[in-house]
């Protein structure tokens, strides 16, 4: 019996131990230190995370709500991706100052642009509070009781902690609710835009190259963190001064060779590495393909009209990027999971788990777990599908989605305070202006026809919003929708708002676009959510048990918790990869590749004249690689995900090599299953970033602020 047990554990461990996998908690990095040093790291875990002295963690920030950034000077200078700073660059842009097109560089601090609403968060300390959080929890408790008990403990611990700290206190679950950690964060709210390259550089390759290697995007932008004169966070004020961090990152101009150790330090948002096979199968082979098909049809329509008209191209650029990002990624997930037999690998692991449960029969606790997963996911599937249709088909009909903004107004009564009504109207006026600025009705009509047909053909009557069941002829319905709804015309919407009276709501309430919206939301609230909620709760419980079981089965294995938007260290090597038989990718790209891709007629591949001039003169200064070329981007086998954008990728000495911004398409399955043979993150080389700042933009003063190691 014992032998069988050992054999199983050996099988599993050797199968699942992918080097490079794992998003590690910085506070526990001492357990990885040996492996990291064996891979080439020359610093210690304590240099990366310490609460007793300054460490690299003091230079890493959560940028806004969804990206990472890093501080690179004693004056709070911060680097992140261009696509992370994009909204702020756009907000400061106008026809006269088109910073998206032309780039922007503050030549002194007085020119730096305030970004009210933008914050950066720095982790000061984390603590394991699992014991305190779970102290009153028992195995017999119902899920509701369990959650309420945990919430209460968290509230008490946070309240207690708040008495003795100036930092923001929060507690987050790790390992699917098996562990809890307390986080002390400092949030800075005066962050200013310092510079960005033109989109031809910062977004070079655009959506065409998104998720793809070889890549040539100069995906960076520059900000500065300000604090009050005592160095504390403060809202924007002219009296604020550049924030002096406990630590800023040093920058290496040496580049990285194939095989060099590298690590990424940042804020990965979400991964699901411990799902059962049935869940991975559902995601990769049911849900993602539906979303891909629906979005693909919409993107085809966008493309057709965008190609015909330059104005439409600009109007739909951001919408296209938004839909296209997920579309392309999910396609890669399905490909990757199937090509690399992800579901089979998970099944194999599960068989071993079941055997382990069987041979260690005292753990009857986990018995039948996998069977229960099968049942619950089967139950969940039609609702997940319904939700996928709703969010990708239904709510991508813009006129219906836009009408939804007026839902609240349609419920105003004579008792609603006038002040509230005025506020609603003012904000709707703004929304209306923003909507029509980027709206092209022929696109929307075609999207509506296509998506509604999809719905009627592929979703059963009780799994779609009820208004669809009254449609006999999609073309006729769509024609009427756009003819009768006020939301098809900016004038009509504004006219309605100008003459709004609470007793004249009929027109709004009878509007077909608003009715369609209400039908969709009603369907979600009444049919989808109430069914999905309890199933998901049960799945969460099973998932928590399964996680616990896996950790018990392999007590020697280091497990890393799924990403949850907390600070993590991930490490691997700078390396290329072989995505397919006969294809072998080198780990870096150069400026020569930009010139090869150049095409003045294709928006994504226009090259700035100044960049060409520098290229022709090979005027790279100290930023050239020792091979004489200008390196632009590089790949590494470091486990990253969304939210890691803007994260520093660092060398064996903890010096900055580049900024992470994407992954290779063939390995986007890494959120579900990481395989170091195929999963690669993509970073922009810091030498290209500095070259653009210094040589291209003439912002040498910024480079001079930094600590450069030549
Ligand atoms: N794929 C990257 C990420 O998931 C970059 C997205 C922004 N770039 C773009 N071309 N749309 O966020
Ligand atoms: N591009 C992603 C981001 O914006 C990173 C990734 O998914 O690899 O965070």
């Amino acid at each position: 019996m014992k032998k069988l047990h050992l054999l199983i554990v050996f099988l599993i461990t050797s199968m699942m131990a992918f080097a490079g996998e794992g998003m590690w908690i910085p506070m526990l990095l001492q357990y990885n230190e040996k492996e990291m040093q064996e891979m080439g790291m020359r610093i210690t875990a304590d240099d990366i995370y310490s609460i007793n002295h300054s460490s690299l963690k003091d230079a890493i920030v959560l940028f806004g709500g969804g990206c990472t950034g890093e501080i690179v000077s004693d004056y709070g200078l911060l680097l992140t991706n261009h696509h992370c700073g994009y909204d702020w660059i756009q907000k400061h842009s106008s026809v006269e100052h088109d910073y998206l097109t032309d780039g922007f560089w503050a030549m002194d601090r007085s020119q730096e642009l305030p970004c009210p609403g933008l914050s950066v968060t720095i982790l000061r300390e984390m603590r394991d509070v699992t014991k305190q959080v779970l102290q009153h929890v028992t195995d017999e408790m119902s899920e509701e009781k369990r959650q309420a008990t945990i919430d209460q403990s968290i509230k008490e611990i946070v309240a207690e902690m708040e008495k003795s700290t100036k930092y923001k206190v929060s507690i987050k679950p790790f390992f699917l609710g098996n562990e809890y950690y307390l986080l002390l964060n400092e949030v800075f709210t005066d962050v200013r835009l310092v510079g960005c390259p033109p989109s031809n550089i910062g977004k070079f390759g655009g959506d065409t190259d998104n998720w793809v290697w070889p890549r040539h995007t100069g995906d960076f932008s520059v900000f500065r963190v300000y604090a009050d004169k005592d160095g504390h966070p403060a809202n924007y004020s002219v009296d604020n001064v550049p924030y002096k961090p406990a630590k800023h990152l040093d920058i290496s101009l040496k580049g990285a060779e194939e095989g060099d150790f590298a690590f990424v330090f940042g804020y990965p948002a979400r991964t699901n590495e411990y799902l059962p096979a049935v869940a991975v199968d559902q995601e990769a082979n049911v849900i993602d393909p539906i979303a891909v098909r629906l979005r693909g049809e919409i993107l085809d329509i966008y493309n057709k009209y965008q190609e015909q008209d330059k104005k439409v191209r600009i109007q739909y650029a951001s919408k296209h990027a938004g839909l296209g990002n997920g579309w392309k990624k999910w396609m890669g997930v399905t490909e990757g999971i199937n090509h690399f037999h992800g579901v089979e690998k998970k099944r194999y692991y599960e068989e071993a788990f079941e055997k382990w449960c069987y041979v260690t029969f005292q753990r009857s606790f986990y018995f039948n777990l996998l069977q229960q997963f099968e049942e619950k996911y089967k139950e969940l599937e039609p609702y997940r599908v319904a939700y996928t249709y709703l969010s990708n088909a239904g709510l991508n009909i813009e006129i219906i989605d836009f009408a939804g903004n007026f839902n609240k107004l349609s419920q105003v009564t004579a008792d609603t305070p006038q002040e509230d009504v005025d506020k609603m109207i003012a904000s709707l006026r703004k929304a209306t202006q923003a909507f029509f600025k980027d709206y092209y009705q022929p696109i929307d009509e075609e999207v509506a026809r296509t998506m509604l047909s999809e719905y009627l053909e592929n979703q059963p009557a009780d799994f779609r919003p009820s208004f669809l069941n009254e449609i006999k002829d999609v073309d006729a319905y769509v024609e009427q929708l756009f003819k009768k709804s006020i939301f098809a015309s900016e004038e009509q919407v504004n006219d309605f708002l100008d003459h709004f009276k609470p007793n004249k709501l009929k027109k709004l309430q009878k509007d077909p676009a608003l009715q369609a919206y209400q039908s969709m939301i009603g369907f979600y609230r009444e049919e989808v959510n109430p069914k999905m909620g309890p199933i998901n709760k049960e799945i969460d419980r099973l998932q928590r048990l399964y996680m616990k079981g896996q950790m018990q089965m392999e007590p020697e294995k280091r497990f890393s918790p799924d990403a949850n938007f907390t600070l993590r260290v991930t490490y691997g090597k700078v390396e290329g990869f072989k995505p397919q038989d006969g294809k072998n990718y080198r780990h870096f790209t150069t400026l020569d590749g930009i010139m090869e891709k150049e095409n003045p007629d294709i928006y994504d591949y226009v090259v700035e004249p100044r960049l060409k001039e520098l290229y022709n003169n090979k005027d790279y200064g100290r930023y050239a690689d020792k091979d004489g070329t200008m390196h632009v981007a590089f790949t590494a086998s470091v486990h990253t995900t969304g939210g890691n954008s803007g994260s520093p990728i660092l060398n064996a000495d903890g010096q900055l090599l580049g900024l992470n911004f994407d992954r290779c398409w063939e390995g986007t399955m890494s959120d579900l299953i990481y395989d170091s043979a195929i999963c690669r993150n993509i970073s922009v080389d810091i030498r290209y970033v500095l070259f653009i700042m210094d040589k291209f933009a003439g912002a040498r003063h910024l480079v001079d602020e930094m600590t450069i190691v030549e």
Side-chain angles (χ1 to χ4, degrees):
M1 204 62 125
K2 186 117 193 242
K3 257 195 194 142
L4 174 67
H5 182 190
L6 282 177
L7 177 74
I8 293 166
V9 171
F10 169 75
L11 267 176
I12 300 161
T13 323
S14 53
M15 184 185 72
M16 296 300 282
F18 302 127
E21 174 176 7
M23 303 185 158
W24 306 99
I25 300 178
M27 172 192 140
L28 302 176
L29 211 58
Q30 70 267 23
Y31 299 112
N32 301 77
E33 189 181 54
K34 187 163 166 277
E35 183 181 76
M36 293 170 88
Q37 289 173 341
E38 278 165 10
M39 288 171 75
M41 185 173 79
R42 286 185 289 267
I43 56 174
T44 63
D46 199 49
D47 294 328
I48 297 175
Y49 175 94
S50 169
I51 51 168
N52 302 315
H53 53 80
S54 65
S55 58
L56 293 178
K57 83 157 199 329
D58 298 312
I60 314 300
V61 312
L62 172 66
F63 181 84
C67 279
T68 307
E70 51 277 351
I71 300 178
V72 291
S73 90
D74 246 352
Y75 302 92
L77 198 66
L78 182 147
L79 298 177
T80 187
N81 288 147
H82 186 266
H83 81 262
C84 295
Y86 199 80
D87 283 350
W88 302 99
I89 303 168
Q90 185 173 38
K91 281 196 180 112
H92 284 294
S93 294
S94 60
V95 180
E96 298 80 49
H97 301 286
D98 186 353
Y99 301 142
L100 284 176
T101 306
D102 305 326
F104 165 76
W105 297 96
M107 285 306 165
D108 61 52
R109 294 202 185 137
S110 71
Q111 292 177 2
E112 296 175 357
L113 301 170
C115 301
L118 175 61
S119 66
V120 307
T121 304
I122 303 180
L123 176 71
R124 293 306 176 197
E125 189 180 339
M126 68 188 298
R127 293 183 192 174
D128 185 349
V129 289
T130 309
K131 278 214 184 75
Q132 294 97 298
V133 171
L134 297 181
Q135 62 181 332
H136 302 300
V137 169
T138 63
D139 287 341
E140 292 73 40
M141 272 179 177
S142 71
E143 275 304 284
E144 281 73 25
K145 182 93 206 320
R146 184 179 193 278
Q147 199 50 52
T149 310
I150 289 174
D151 291 346
Q152 184 56 29
S153 296
I154 288 182
K155 221 165 105 188
E156 285 166 18
I157 302 166
V158 169
E160 187 55 33
M161 191 72 218
E162 277 171 344
K163 287 185 202 155
S164 61
T165 181
K166 56 179 179 172
Y167 300 134
K168 211 177 134 223
V169 188
S170 59
I171 293 179
K172 283 199 173 194
F174 289 68
F175 290 112
L176 300 154
N178 285 291
E179 295 182 11
Y180 285 82
Y181 287 78
L182 177 136
L183 306 153
L184 295 178
N185 282 310
E186 197 161 21
V187 184
F188 291 84
T189 49
D190 184 356
V191 185
R192 304 183 195 171
L193 176 63
V194 173
C196 64
S199 293
N200 286 345
I201 290 171
K203 226 177 132 45
F204 184 80
D207 288 332
T208 319
D209 284 6
N210 189 23
W211 296 114
V212 168
W213 185 256
R215 192 67 159 275
H216 299 86
T217 313
D219 199 344
F220 77 96
S221 56
V222 191
F223 289 78
R224 192 187 301 280
V225 184
Y226 281 78
D228 69 15
K229 59 182 186 336
D230 303 317
H232 299 311
N235 286 340
Y236 173 80
S237 155
V238 282
D239 299 328
N240 285 350
V241 295
Y243 166 64
K244 185 174 182 344
K247 178 97 188 169
H248 68 262
L249 298 184
D250 293 347
I251 291 168
S252 168
L253 291 188
K254 293 197 200 95
E257 306 281 332
E258 172 97 28
D260 280 357
F261 172 80
F263 68 104
V264 167
F265 203 4
Y267 281 90
R270 192 168 307 283
T271 54
N272 289 298
E273 310 288 343
Y274 301 101
L275 292 178
V278 58
V280 173
D281 197 14
Q282 189 172 92
E283 177 81 42
N285 294 316
V286 180
I287 302 301
D288 289 351
I290 294 174
V292 165
R293 194 186 73 240
L294 296 172
R295 286 192 180 198
E297 288 171 11
I298 299 175
L299 289 168
D300 283 345
I301 298 169
Y302 285 7
N303 284 337
K304 187 173 83 186
Y305 289 94
Q306 281 182 295
E307 271 159 28
Q308 289 167 7
D309 186 335
K310 193 169 165 204
K311 186 173 167 213
V312 177
R313 197 198 71 221
I314 295 168
Q315 282 180 317
Y316 278 71
S318 175
K319 296 176 195 177
H320 194 291
L323 289 182
N325 198 40
W327 169 75
K328 208 162 178 179
K329 180 189 168 184
W330 299 324
M331 234 190 297
V333 172
T334 303
E335 274 272 325
I337 292 290
N338 292 332
H339 190 149
F340 295 95
H341 308 289
V343 178
E344 289 81 352
K345 280 181 190 155
K346 287 263 180 190
R347 290 236 183 264
Y348 187 57
Y349 183 83
E350 284 166 10
E351 270 169 40
F353 182 77
E354 295 228 288
K355 282 199 188 110
W356 171 79
C357 288
Y358 185 72
V359 291
T360 59
F361 46 88
Q362 72 276 25
R363 274 129 185 165
S364 54
F365 199 45
Y366 303 111
F367 221 60
N368 255 346
L369 196 62
L370 294 157
Q371 186 54 38
Q372 292 178 60
F373 268 130
E374 298 286 335
E375 285 161 18
K376 286 293 148 191
Y377 272 99
K378 186 160 269 145
E379 258 180 68
L380 187 67
E381 188 167 299
Y383 299 103
R384 270 188 97 181
V385 170
Y387 181 73
T388 307
Y389 270 91
L390 192 63
S391 50
N392 289 286
L395 292 170
N396 276 331
I397 303 170
E398 293 175 79
I399 190 176
I400 295 177
D401 187 48
F402 173 57
N405 290 304
F406 291 71
N407 199 21
K408 225 170 138 196
L409 190 70
S410 76
Q411 285 149 18
V412 159
T413 65
D415 297 336
T416 313
Q418 188 58 37
E419 194 192 338
D420 293 0
V421 177
D422 290 346
K423 256 196 209 147
M424 258 185 245
I425 294 208
S427 99
L428 287 171
R429 273 189 211 286
K430 266 197 197 152
T432 302
Q433 196 190 10
F435 176 76
F436 283 102
K437 177 175 162 282
D438 290 335
Y439 184 65
Y440 188 59
Q441 192 173 315
I443 288 191
D444 203 24
E445 286 181 26
E446 199 164 327
V447 168
R449 279 194 296 272
T450 315
M451 289 300 108
L452 295 177
S453 306
E454 269 282 359
Y455 240 130
L456 290 173
E457 277 161 33
N458 296 313
Q459 275 297 78
D462 47 347
F463 281 94
R464 61 192 185 209
S466 56
F467 83 100
L468 283 155
N469 298 335
E470 280 145 42
I471 297 177
K472 305 250 149 36
D473 174 343
V474 170
D475 289 351
Y477 170 80
V478 171
E479 201 190 319
Q480 287 302 308
L481 173 69
F482 283 88
K483 210 168 173 181
K484 292 215 172 118
S485 171
I486 62 163
F487 297 107
S489 139
E490 187 167 9
E491 289 73 42
Q492 281 191 51
V493 177
N494 281 328
D495 185 63
F496 173 79
L497 290 173
D498 288 344
H499 302 103
F500 179 79
K501 285 210 188 65
N503 57 2
K504 276 171 98 191
L505 281 170
K506 275 255 154 51
K507 188 169 175 181
L508 191 56
Q509 286 159 352
K510 281 172 72 181
D511 191 279
L514 184 61
Q515 282 179 341
Y517 177 82
Q518 286 166 340
S519 172
M520 287 186 193
I521 292 306
F523 169 68
Y524 176 73
R525 291 206 184 120
E526 283 146 39
E527 305 295 328
V528 181
N529 199 33
K531 305 270 172 37
M532 250 165 69
I535 307 174
N536 275 327
K537 265 223 173 76
E538 182 54 16
I539 287 178
D540 287 349
R541 186 185 72 83
L542 297 172
Q543 197 68 61
R544 189 177 69 236
L545 276 183
Y546 186 39
M547 184 79 243
K548 192 172 172 179
Q550 293 177 61
M551 292 168 99
Q552 236 173 325
M553 176 170 77
E554 297 184 85
E556 302 301 322
K557 183 179 160 180
R558 262 177 298 129
F559 281 86
S560 98
D562 275 328
N564 60 354
F565 248 130
T566 57
L567 187 59
R568 300 294 177 90
V569 172
T570 61
Y571 55 90
K573 287 183 215 152
V574 172
E575 53 180 330
F577 66 116
K578 300 185 174 79
Q580 259 174 24
D581 185 34
K583 252 193 199 170
N584 197 353
Y585 284 137
R586 188 178 67 186
H587 70 279
F588 67 91
T589 58
T590 69
L591 193 48
D592 301 63
I594 293 186
M595 298 315 300
E596 282 169 16
K597 280 182 178 171
E598 187 199 13
N599 185 338
D601 299 326
I602 299 179
Y603 182 72
D604 288 340
Y605 297 119
V606 177
V607 179
E608 288 285 316
R610 170 79 186 134
L611 189 58
K612 267 196 255 188
E613 191 184 313
L614 291 163
Y615 172 76
N616 289 332
N617 298 331
K618 300 287 172 281
D619 185 2
Y620 307 148
R622 58 178 173 160
Y623 309 113
D625 187 78
K626 59 181 178 306
D627 68 11
T629 66
M630 183 73 241
H631 286 208
V632 173
F634 64 96
T635 56
S637 52
V638 178
H639 192 177
T640 57
T641 187
N644 267 127
S645 276
S647 300
I649 180 162
L650 303 133
N651 66 13
D653 297 307
Q655 299 160 343
L656 190 62
L657 287 173
L659 315 185
N660 180 78
F661 69 94
D662 208 3
R663 276 171 287 165
C664 299
W665 188 76
E666 294 85 350
T668 48
M669 65 182 190
S670 65
D671 290 347
L672 300 172
I673 299 179
Y674 183 85
D675 183 343
S676 63
I678 195 73
C679 297
R680 292 291 176 274
N681 64 314
I682 306 178
S683 308
V684 54
D685 195 305
I686 195 66
R687 294 170 298 177
Y688 185 59
V689 171
L690 300 188
F691 161 76
I692 294 295
M693 272 188 211
D694 179 351
K695 294 275 182 178
F696 174 87
R700 170 78 190 219
H701 60 289
L702 297 176
V703 180
D704 289 341
E705 266 187 49
M706 305 177 197
T707 309
I708 310 272
V709 184
E710 300 218 19

